[in-house]
Amino acid sequence: MGGMPANDMPWWRWRSNVRSALHMLSDPAFQRDVWLAGVDGYGDVTDAVYRLVEDTWLDHWSAEKYVGTIFRDPEEAALVDTAVLRVLRIMHQVGPDAPVAAYLEHQGWPEAVRAARDAHLRLATSDGEEPDAPPRSLEVLRIMTRSA
């Protein structure tokens, strides 16, 4: 992960998963060209939401709990909390098994994308990575998060 050594953050795998999800959730062109088009290797909206919350339980408590581990400071945590809440609100309304189009057409989706973008920009910049690079495939994410 860019300039962030693995020992700098004990839960760097969790951060990688959160960042991957935020990256995909923050990119409308990716959503249209990959998710909506059904391109293999990137999962779908539900996969991204689960990567965002499954290990971290950010659907149960604040990202503030992870400042100093997954998140570097309270600003990162606050941006992630905002993105999580907006995305989960939509997921609960359309359902986790809804087609990608149901998310993208939801009236709150642009706001969720904007919140994910704010969080993604902050985390990518903090990690010394280019925030506008295309999202990585799930296979690349698996390779990146393997134990050394």
Side-chain angles (χ1 to χ4, degrees), residues 10 24 41 43 45 53 61 64 76 89 92 103 127 131 140-141:
M24 291 180 184
V45 179
V53 301
W61 51 61
E64 181 74 25
E76 278 189 0
R89 182 179 313 130
H92 290 286
Y103 287 92
D127 291 347
V140 170
L141 180 62

Side-chain angles (χ1 to χ4, degrees), residues 20 24 30 34-35 37-44 47 51 135-142:
S20 169
M24 291 180 184
F30 168 84
V34 176
W35 282 344
V39 174
D40 287 333
Y42 294 89
D44 60 16
D47 296 321
R51 269 196 321 284
R136 296 179 177 113
S137 71
L138 298 181
E139 180 60 26
V140 170
L141 180 62
R142 274 190 285 282

Side-chain angles (χ1 to χ4, degrees), residues 2-91:
M4 187 172 76
N7 63 1
D8 178 60
M9 197 160 293
W11 296 323
W12 57 273
R13 285 187 203 116
W14 291 6
R15 184 176 175 95
S16 296
N17 283 332
V18 167
R19 284 203 39 217
S20 169
L22 288 169
H23 196 168
M24 291 180 184
L25 292 165
S26 73
D27 187 339
F30 168 84
Q31 294 164 16
R32 180 192 63 239
D33 298 342
V34 176
W35 282 344
L36 202 54
V39 174
D40 287 333
Y42 294 89
D44 60 16
V45 179
T46 302
D47 296 321
V49 174
Y50 286 141
R51 269 196 321 284
L52 188 60
V53 301
E54 75 179 330
D55 290 328
T56 60
W57 286 51
L58 292 175
D59 52 339
H60 293 285
W61 51 61
S62 172
E64 181 74 25
K65 176 181 180 95
Y66 296 113
V67 169
T69 55
I70 298 172
F71 307 112
R72 295 182 188 279
D73 56 46
E75 184 180 342
E76 278 189 0
L79 291 168
V80 169
D81 276 340
T82 300
V84 167
L85 291 173
R86 284 188 172 76
V87 170
L88 286 178
R89 182 179 313 130
I90 295 167
M91 179 181 233

Side-chain angles (χ1 to χ4, degrees), residues 76-126:
E76 278 189 0
L79 291 168
V80 169
D81 276 340
T82 300
V84 167
L85 291 173
R86 284 188 172 76
V87 170
L88 286 178
R89 182 179 313 130
I90 295 167
M91 179 181 233
H92 290 286
Q93 290 173 0
V94 301
D97 296 325
V100 172
Y103 287 92
L104 275 54
E105 294 167 0
H106 189 279
Q107 72 274 6
W109 192 248
E111 186 179 327
V113 168
R114 196 169 25 263
R117 176 74 179 164
D118 291 345
H120 165 66
L121 284 172
R122 176 62 192 247
L123 272 65
T125 302
S126 291

